[in-house]
Amino acid sequence: MGVLAMTPVFELEGVGFRYPNAPALDGVSFSIAPGQCVALLGANGSGKSTLLRLLAGLAFAQAGHVRFQGGELTEAALADDAGGLEFRRRVGVVFQNPDAQLFNATVFDEVAFGPLQMGWSREQVLERTGEALRALDIEALRERPPYRLSGGEKKRVALASVLVLDPEVLILDEPTAALDPQSQARVIDFLFERLGERTVIIATHSLEVAREIADTCAVLSGGQLAAHGPAEGILSDEALLRSTHLLHVHRHRHGPGSAHSHPHQHS
Amino acid sequence: MRRDFLEKTLRNLGDALDEAGRAESSGPLRRLDPRVKLAGFFGLILAAASSRHLPVTLGLWGLGATLAAVSGPGAWRAILRLWAGVGLLTGAVALPALFLTPGPALDWGVTQTGLQSALTLLVRVETTATFASLIALTTPWPALLKALRHFHVPALAVVIFAMATRFIFVLLGIARDAFEARRARHVGHLPGKLRRQMAASGAAMLLGKSIQLSGEVYDAMRARGFRGEAVTLDEFRCSRADWAAAGLFLALTGAALEWGCWR
């Protein structure tokens, strides 16, 4: 059976959402197959983060439908204790701002927070937390308060705090934002090595990250879906990328004295 | 570079919190089970607060001073600073009692009863503040929060305490950055009215940021299964030394209540 014949992990049908003072999403429809790595591309304010919140069950569609593995994703469905916890275990979210994601007193408490809320046994919590700390190479930070860590370390702790639950779907909001080049490379390497068969959804405006990781891209512009398809096709469509402000042109220098302009992107 | 009062206060507050967070105490109290410390010092605070005999309260203060002295130089310095601040504040509050409390007159209009009342209040406040600070200075904050859960302090309150300490640093950082950004854009001395306007807009900005951050944090908690009651991990083990310390705390509290309150 081909990937397309399987039940999609997420299915969006005419999804609309607006904040009190501005519309965020309008008529967005596409689906995400199991095991796919999807890059949600779009300029600032295009609706990427809102769409991620809908997929993560942190906000709910005001128009249209969001389905998770065939079931409607609604507030009522997640309010049910068993169903809600099961969804949280299966869908992990790494937020853009690590200062919001890391709210516990120590790194260990941070990583153990999810397993504890799931009601796992003490032994299971200790074992899985230890494994996650080792996997992300952050055992040495175990007793450190998260606010004292560097940006790269915070990102690794945030990843550990989500991967400890072994989610089938991983949602990442700008995973390389505000990181130095070395930390960005580490995060991308990690995503390559450890994600395995998981379904991954990454919101980014970095074409570089999309090129490295994604096999499918969905491009948002002004809250609407501008394009959806294989990463190769989307990332080579210069007209699309320029019209959605993911590529731009301005003059710059390559070495002393030679200023010229061509389309490029700042990540 | 000249800094205004609010900016200096924020900077000092951040530094003090940072120093307190890094303070490494040592000595017997550090090794005690946090639950024993919490319950033991709570008993001693009760005894000191209810003591009506100055020598008993002074004895408890002496006990607090000794424990601070054996808890390392960091803890001792913090306690000395505490005594100075608490002494000044309580002294100011107790000063009128020296003259206004009726009783046998001493020199300069001070009455004997007034002196005794003022001293009792001062020593009582210094002692209870010393014990309370010793708990915080000799116990890592996460362990202290977990110990609170053992005494059935609601999980939500404990999570709020934990997050308050966690985010005060984030918000102080934001406030410092905002002040630096403002200083980078002006030269010379600003008039008082403008400085006050800037302080007010800075406070509003900080409030807005904290509301935004609290929404993001709540989302992050929900995304990992938080459903209104945070579950925490119990990692405490009571050793023989902890039981012995618990007995000692109990005996000291009993003796202080007997001699200071009930006799």
Side-chain angles (χ1 to χ4, degrees), chain A:
Chain A
M1 192 161 62
V3 167
L4 292 174
M6 293 178 191
T7 307
V9 176
F10 283 108
E11 198 177 359
L12 294 97
E13 195 186 315
V15 171
F17 188 91
R18 61 174 295 130
Y19 293 105
N21 50 356
L25 292 172
D26 179 23
V28 174
S29 301
F30 70 99
S31 59
I32 297 169
Q36 262 189 344
C37 182
V38 182
L40 289 181
L41 296 168
N44 291 337
S46 60
K48 297 189 303 287
S49 293
T50 304
L51 186 53
L52 283 197
R53 293 191 75 230
L54 296 184
L55 296 176
L58 298 169
F60 300 93
Q62 293 161 349
H65 303 276
V66 178
R67 295 189 192 91
F68 174 67
Q69 299 200 322
E72 193 84 23
L73 200 55
T74 60
E75 199 161 5
L78 293 188
D80 167 59
D81 269 358
L85 277 183
E86 184 57 13
F87 177 81
R88 299 295 179 208
R89 197 202 62 69
R90 294 172 72 183
V91 180
V93 191
V94 179
F95 291 82
Q96 182 178 356
N97 177 6
D99 279 328
Q101 172 130 22
L102 308 178
F103 48 83
N104 282 283
T106 66
V107 167
F108 178 85
D109 289 340
E110 195 61 62
V111 180
F113 182 85
L116 283 166
Q117 309 319 303
M118 294 295 146
W120 292 0
S121 71
R122 179 190 161 84
E123 289 68 30
Q124 215 179 350
V125 170
L126 292 175
E127 188 191 328
R128 294 288 285 277
T129 304
E131 278 172 18
L133 292 172
R134 279 192 294 280
L136 271 295
D137 197 19
I138 48 173
E139 273 178 299
L141 310 176
R142 189 187 159 98
E143 295 304 325
R144 296 265 303 277
Y147 64 84
R148 286 198 204 284
L149 305 178
S150 69
E153 287 171 337
K154 281 181 186 172
K155 201 56 103 176
R156 274 150 65 205
V157 174
L159 277 167
S161 71
V162 170
L163 290 175
V164 68
L165 294 173
D166 195 19
E168 294 154 37
V169 181
L170 191 61
I171 295 175
L172 302 149
D173 192 0
E174 301 284 2
T176 56
L179 293 181
D180 60 57
Q182 194 184 6
S183 302
Q184 284 188 20
R186 282 189 80 162
V187 169
I188 290 173
D189 276 350
F190 173 82
L191 293 175
F192 253 119
E193 286 166 15
R194 307 283 167 85
L195 291 181
E197 296 302 305
R198 277 180 241 271
T199 305
V200 181
I201 303 156
I202 299 179
T204 182
H205 55 243
S206 162
L207 300 183
E208 206 56 47
V209 170
R211 216 167 262 130
E212 299 273 0
I213 303 171
D215 43 47
T216 305
C217 290
V219 183
L220 289 170
S221 179
Q224 296 184 326
L225 189 68
H228 176 238
E232 234 176 12
I234 301 249
L235 296 172
S236 58
D237 187 341
E238 198 180 304
L240 169 73
L241 298 177
R242 285 177 74 165
S243 68
T244 52
H245 308 292
L246 289 162
L247 275 184
H248 62 271
V249 179
H250 68 71
R251 287 172 70 79
H252 62 265
R253 287 182 192 283
H254 292 288
S258 62
H260 67 267
S261 62
H262 58 76
H264 70 281
Q265 197 229 0
H266 295 287
S267 46

